[in-house]
C-alpha cells in the first residue's frame, strides 16, 4: 500500500487496444515528474500512478498519456457564479481552481459570470470544486449536477460497446457487399485459391452466377472502382481508429495492435489500388493484377467484431465494483429537529440520526440507537443467514434491513464507509499486477516490432522463392502475419482473471489487497492461527469471581473486585474488557471514572480509580512481579488447566481477587481446519494465552502444533522462525496484537471485525469473522492462478503456432495459406477465448458454503 507522503491517482485511459498500448503508456508515466510507480491495466482501461506528494501534478500525467498517443477520460463543467462580473478576485479564483489536484484547466469569464473547469473526474469531484469556490467566498448560482462515478464508468463501457457495435455493423455490411463484388473477379485471382476464405468464395460463386447473372456481366474495372469506393468508406470511418492510432504511434516511435492492423490492411489496400489503376505494373512482369479489397473489409469487420465482444466481456469482468457500489441507496431518511427528511446520501453527515424501515437498504454505516431487526449482510460478507441487530450493534451501509425498523447514529459516510472501502480494495486489487504478468508485459512491449520483422521476412522469402504469382502470394503472407498476431491475448491473460477473481472474492466476503497476493497464496504451505477472536469467538464471558483472603482473615467482596476491574477496563477496547464491563452492567454495579489509563501489551491494563492504582493483569505478569497470590494461586492453576483465563485484580500492589473468563471456539473453526488439512497445509496456533488454554483450543479444532505464551512483540519472531525453516507462511489474525505477525507473514489474513491496524497490515481481509473465508480465499486464489496460467499458455501458444502458419510454413505440405480474413477471425478468437476463460471464474463456488 502507498506509504505516507505518497499520492495515488487513477486515470481512465482512452484509446488502448492491446497490452502493448499499456506498456507504452506505463513507460511514459514512469518518466513523468514526481512519479514513484505507474501501473497501466489494459483490461480495466485504467492507469494507477503513485506520486511523491507535492512533486507532481495530474496535468503532467495527462500530458504523458497524450504524448504516448492516447488520452484520459475528462469532464468539463461551467460554474455560474453570482457577482463575478464585479469581483476583483477572479485571478485568485482561477489560481485556486488550477492548483487543485485533478483540475487540468480553469478559466473565468467575468462577462458571462462563469468559470469553465476541465478536470479528471476520477481524481477530483464536482463537489470538491464547488467547495473550493465557496472557500473564497463566491456563491454558485447553479450547483453542479452530482456525478455518480459508477454510473459514469458504466456509461463509458456502454459508449465503448455501442460505438464498437455500430462500426462493426457498418464494416460488416460493406464486407458482404465487397464479397459479392469480388466474386466475378475470382477467375483472375489465382493466389486466392490457396486461401481457405478464397475457396469459400469459390463455393459461393456458382450459386451467385445463377441468382445474379447480371453481376458477372459488369466490366472488371467498374467492379474494382466499386470495391475501391466501398473500401475507402470503411477505412475512413469504421476503420479510422486503426489508422489514426497507428499514425500517432509512428510519430512518437511506438507500435501496438493498431500498427499491425493498419500496416496489414494498408498494404493490401495500396497493392489493390495499384492493381486497379496501373495493372501494367504486374502484367509486364507476367503477373495477374489481383485486388484484395474484400480482404481489407473483412479484416476490419472481424477485428471490430472481436473488439465489440471483447469490450462487452471486459465490462462483465469489471461488474464487481459496480455491483458493490450499486448496493448503496441514493437517499437516506434523516431525522433533524424532530422531522424526518429524505436527503441525498451524499449530504448525510457523521452524527446524524437516520431512520431505517423494514425492507430498506441501510444507506450508511452506523450504530443502532433504538429498535431492533434482522439484517441481511450476505452481499458484503457472503453469509446467508440474517444477523440480529439491537441497540449498540454496528450496521453497514449497503446491507438490507429485513423486518423491524430502527434508528441509527451515523459513524461513517462517503469514502469512509465499509462499502466504499471494500469497493476501493477490489478496484485496487483489479488494477494491480502479478509477477507473471510482468513477463507478458515485457513480451508485449517488443511484440509488434518482432511481428513486423517476421512479416517483412516472409514477404521477401515468398517473393523470391514462392510460386507464381509471387507478388500476390508474398502480399497475402505479409498481411496474414500482421493480422494473425495477437498481443491483445497476452495483455488480457492476467488482468481479466484477476478482475473476475477479486470480484468473485468480494461477493464471497473475501478482499484481496492486490493481484500479486493471489500468486503468493498459491505458494503457501503453512497456516498459522491466532487463538483469541480467530479460533475462538472473541466474545469472552466472566465465569468466576474469586476474592483473595486478607491477612486479617477477611476478603474483598466479589462486587467490589468487579467494580474495580470494570472501572479500569472501561477505557480498553479488548474483548476481555468488554466481557468484564458487561458482567458489571448485568449485576447493576456502577463503574467509576479512571485516570492515567495505560494498556500494558500482553500483560494487562492499569489506571487510577478513586485514589488507588488498580491493575487487571495476567497470572504470568503477577508471577513476574512476585505478587502474593495467596490462596488464589492454586485456583489459577486449575482454571488454566481447564482452558480458562484467570485475571488478577491488584490495588496498590496488593492482590484483591481474580476474575476468570472463558471464550468458546467458533463453530466454523473445526471444519475449516479439517478442510485446510485435506488441502495439505501444516497448521499451527500462535497465542499469548497459557499453554493449557491454547492446547485446549487446539484440541477442540484439531490442531496439535501450538505455540503459546507468546507476547505480541514476539509473534512476528515466531513467524520468522517458521519462514527460516523454508516454510511459506499464511497468518490468520484478529486485532492489533497480530498486526506485526500479519505483516511478517508471506500472506496475512485479517478478520474484518479486527482493528484497522490489523486490516491494513494484512493481504487478505475477511469481511466476516467466519473462518471459512480462509478456505474460500485459498481455493479462489488457486482457481484464479490456474486460470492465469491457462490464459498465458493459450496466448503464447496461439502466437507461437499462428504466426508460422500465417507465414506459410504448412503450404508446401497442404497447399493452403491461412489468408488474412481467416487470420482476423483467429486473432479475434484468441482475445475472446482468454476473456471468456477468465469469466468462468464467475461460477466459482466455495467448498465450504
Amino acid at each position: 500500500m502507498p506509504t505516507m507522503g505518497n499520492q495515488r491517482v487513477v486515470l481512465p485511459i482512452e484509446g488502448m487496444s492491446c497490452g502493448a498500448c499499456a506498456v507504452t503508456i506505463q513507460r511514459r508515466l514512469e518518466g513523468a515528474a514526481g512519479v514513484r510507480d505507474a501501473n497501466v491495466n489494459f483490461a480495466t482501461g485504467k492507469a494507477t500512478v503513485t506520486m511523491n506528494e507535492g512533486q507532481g501534478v495530474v496535468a503532467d500525467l495527462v500530458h504523458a498519456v497524450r504524448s504516448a498517443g492516447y488520452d484520459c477520460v475528462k469532464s468539463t463543467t461551467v460554474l455560474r457564479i453570482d457577482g463575478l462580473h464585479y469581483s476583483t478576485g477572479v485571478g485568485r479564483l482561477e489560481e485556486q481552481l488550477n492548483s487543485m489536484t485533478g483540475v487540468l484547466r480553469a478559466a473565468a469569464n467575468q462577462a458571462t459570470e462563469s468559470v469553465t473547469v476541465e478536470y479528471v473526474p476520477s481524481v477530483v469531484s464536482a463537489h470538491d470544486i464547488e467547495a473550493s469556490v465557496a472557500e473564497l467566498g463566491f456563491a454558485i448560482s447553479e450547483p453542479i449536477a452530482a456525478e455518480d462515478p459508477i454510473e459514469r464508468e458504466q456509461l463509458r463501457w456502454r459508449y465503448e460497446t455501442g460505438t464498437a457495435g455500430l462500426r462493426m455493423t457498418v464494416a460488416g455490411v460493406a464486407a458482404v457487399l465487397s464479397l459479392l463484388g469480388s466474386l466475378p473477379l475470382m477467375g483472375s485471382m489465382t493466389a486466392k485459391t490457396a486461401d481457405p476464405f478464397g475457396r469459400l468464395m469459390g463455393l459461393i460463386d456458382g450459386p451467385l452466377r445463377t441468382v445474379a447473372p447480371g453481376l458477372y456481366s459488369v466490366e472488371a474495372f467498374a467492379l474494382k472502382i466499386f470495391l475501391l469506393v466501398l473500401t475507402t468508406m470503411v477505412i475512413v470511418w469504421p476503420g479510422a481508429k486503426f489508422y489514426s492510432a497507428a499514425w500517432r504511434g509512428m510519430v512518437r516511435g511506438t507500435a501496438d495492435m493498431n500498427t499491425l492492423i493498419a500496416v496489414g490492411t494498408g498494404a493490401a489496400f495500396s497493392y489493390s489500388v495499384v492493381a486497379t489503376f496501373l495493372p501494367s505494373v504486374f502484367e509486364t512482369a507476367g503477373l495477374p493484377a489481383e485486388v484484395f479489397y474484400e480482404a481489407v473489409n473483412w479484416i476490419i469487420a472481424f477485428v471490430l467484431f472481436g473488439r465489440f465482444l471483447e469490450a462487452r466481456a471486459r465490462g462483465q469482468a469489471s461488474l464487481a465494483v459496480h455491483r458493490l457500489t450499486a448496493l448503496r441507496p441514493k437517499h437516506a431518511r434523516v431525522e433533524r429537529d424532530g422531522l424526518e427528511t429524505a436527503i441525498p446520501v451524499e449530504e448525510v453527515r457523521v452524527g446524524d440520526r437516520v431512520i431505517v424501515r423494514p425492507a430498506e437498504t441501510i444507506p450508511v454505516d452506523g450504530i443502532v440507537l433504538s429498535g431492533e431487526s434482522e439484517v441481511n449482510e450476505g452481499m458484503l460478507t457472503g453469509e446467508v443467514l440474517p444477523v440480529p441487530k439491537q441497540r449498540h450493534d454496528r450496521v453497514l451501509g449497503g446491507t438490507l434491513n429485513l423486518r423491524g425498523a430502527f434508528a441509527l447514529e451515523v459513524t461513517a459516510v462517503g469514502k469512509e464507509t465499509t462499502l466504499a472501502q471494500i469497493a476501493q480494495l477490489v478496484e485496487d486489487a483489479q488494477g494491480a499486477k502479478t509477477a507473471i504478468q510482468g513477463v507478458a508485459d515485457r513480451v508485449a512491449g517488443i511484440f509488434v516490432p518482432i511481428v513486423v520483422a517476421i512479416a517483412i521476412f516472409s514477404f521477401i522469402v515468398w517473393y523470391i522463392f514462392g510460386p507464381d504469382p509471387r507478388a500476390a502470394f508474398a502480399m497475402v503472407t505479409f498481411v496474414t502475419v500482421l493480422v494473425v498476431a495477437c498481443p491483445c491475448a497476452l495483455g488480457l491473460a492476467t488482468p481479466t482473471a484477476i478482475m473476475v477473481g477479486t470480484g468473485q472474492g468480494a461477493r464471497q466476503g473475501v478482499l484481496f489487497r492486490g493481484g500479486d497476493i493471489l500468486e503468493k497464496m498459491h505458494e503457501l504451505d503453512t497456516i498459522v492461527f491466532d487463538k483469541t477472536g480467530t479460533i475462538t469467538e472473541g466474545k469472552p464471558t466472566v465465569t468466576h469471581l474469586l476474592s483473595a483472603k486478607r491477612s486479617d482473615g477477611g476478603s474483598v467482596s466479589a462486587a467490589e473486585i468487579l467494580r474495580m476491574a470494570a472501572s479500569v477496563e472501561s477505557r480498553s477496547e479488548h474483548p476481555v474488557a468488554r466481557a468484564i464491563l458487561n458482567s458489571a452492567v448485568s449485576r447493576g454495579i456502577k463503574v467509576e471514572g479512571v485516570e492515567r489509563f495505560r494498556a500494558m501489551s500482553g500483560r494487562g491494563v492499569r489506571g487510577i480509580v478513586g485514589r488507588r492504582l488498580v491493575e487487571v493483569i495476567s497470572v504470568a505478569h503477577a508471577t513476574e512481579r512476585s505478587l502474593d497470590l495467596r490462596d488464589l494461586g492454586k485456583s489459577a492453576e486449575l482454571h488454566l488447566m481447564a482452558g480458562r483465563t484467570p485475571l488478577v485484580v491488584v490495588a496498590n500492589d496488593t492482590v484483591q481477587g481474580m476474575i476468570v473468563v472463558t471464550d468458546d471456539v467458533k463453530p466454523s473453526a473445526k471444519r475449516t481446519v479439517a478442510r485446510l488439512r485435506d488441502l495439505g497445509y501444516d497448521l499451527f496456533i500462535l497465542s499469548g494465552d497459557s499453554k493449557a488454554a491454547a492446547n485446549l483450543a487446539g484440541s477442540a479444532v484439531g490442531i496439535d502444533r501450538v505455540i503459546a505464551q507468546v507476547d505480541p512483540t514476539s509473534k512476528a519472531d515466531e513467524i520468522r522462525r517458521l519462514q527460516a525453516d523454508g516454510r511459506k507462511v499464511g497468518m490468520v489474525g484478529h486485532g492489533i496484537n497480530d498486526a506485526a505477525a500479519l505483516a511478517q507473514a508471506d500472506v496475512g489474513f485479517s478478520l474484518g471485525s479486527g482493528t484497522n491496524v490489523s486490516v491494513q497490515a494484512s493481504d487478505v481481509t475477511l469481511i466476516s469473522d467466519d473462518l471459512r473465508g480462509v478456505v474460500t480465499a485459498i481455493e479462489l486464489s488457486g482457481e484464479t492462478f490456474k486460470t492465469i496460467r491457462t490464459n498465458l499458455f493459450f496466448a503464447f501458444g496461439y502466437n507461437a503456432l499462428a504466426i508460422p502458419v500465417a507465414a506459410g510454413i504448412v503450404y508446401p505440405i497442404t497447399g493452403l495459406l491461412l489468408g488474412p480474413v481467416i487470420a482476423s477471425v483467429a486473432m479475434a478468437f484468441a482475445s475472446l477465448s482468454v476473456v471468456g476463460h477468465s469469466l468462468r471464474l464467475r461460477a466459482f463456488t466455495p467448498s465450504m458454503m
Side-chain angles (χ1 to χ4, degrees), residues 89-100 103 106-108 115 132 136:
V90 175
R92 193 159 46 95
L93 175 60
E94 288 184 341
E95 183 180 352
Q96 168 118 339
L97 290 174
N98 281 312
S99 67
M100 294 183 68
V103 172
V115 180
S132 183
L136 295 178

Side-chain angles (χ1 to χ4, degrees), residues 168-179 226-227 230-231 233-234 238 294 297-298:
M168 171 197 70
T169 303
V170 172
V173 172
V176 172
L177 293 175
S178 66
L179 172 65
F226 167 73
L227 293 171
L230 193 63
T231 307
M233 292 171 59
V234 171
E294 85 290 342
N297 292 323
W298 279 103

Side-chain angles (χ1 to χ4, degrees), residues 206-249:
L208 187 64
R209 285 179 184 272
T210 304
V211 175
L215 181 63
Y216 288 80
S217 63
V218 178
E219 186 182 355
F221 181 73
L223 286 173
K224 290 179 181 179
I225 294 298
F226 167 73
L227 293 171
L228 170 62
V229 172
L230 193 63
T231 307
T232 302
M233 292 171 59
V234 171
I235 289 174
V236 168
W237 188 64
K241 290 185 69 173
F242 301 130
Y243 303 100
S244 59
W247 173 256
R248 290 195 304 269

Side-chain angles (χ1 to χ4, degrees), residues 416-460:
E416 302 303 318
T417 62
T418 301
L419 179 62
Q421 291 177 5
I422 290 172
Q424 187 62 61
L425 276 172
V426 174
E427 190 169 7
D428 289 347
Q430 291 183 344
K433 286 188 178 181
T434 65
I436 197 171
Q437 186 180 348
V439 177
D441 285 347
R442 286 192 292 273
V443 172
I446 60 173
F447 186 87
V448 174
I450 291 175
V451 171
V452 172
I454 293 173
I456 292 172
F457 177 76
S458 65
F459 179 90
I460 294 171

Side-chain angles (χ1 to χ4, degrees), residues 590-610:
K590 184 179 179 181
V591 176
E592 294 186 34
V594 59
E595 299 177 359
R596 300 182 187 177
F597 173 82
R598 179 186 168 196
M600 299 175 289
S601 181
R603 292 176 171 82
V605 295
R606 65 191 304 180
I608 304 296
V609 178

Side-chain angles (χ1 to χ4, degrees), residues 66-83:
R66 288 173 175 170
S67 71
Y70 305 88
D71 207 347
C72 297
V73 176
K74 304 177 296 298
S75 288
T76 300
T77 187
V78 178
L79 309 177
R80 305 293 178 185
I81 299 180
D82 291 335

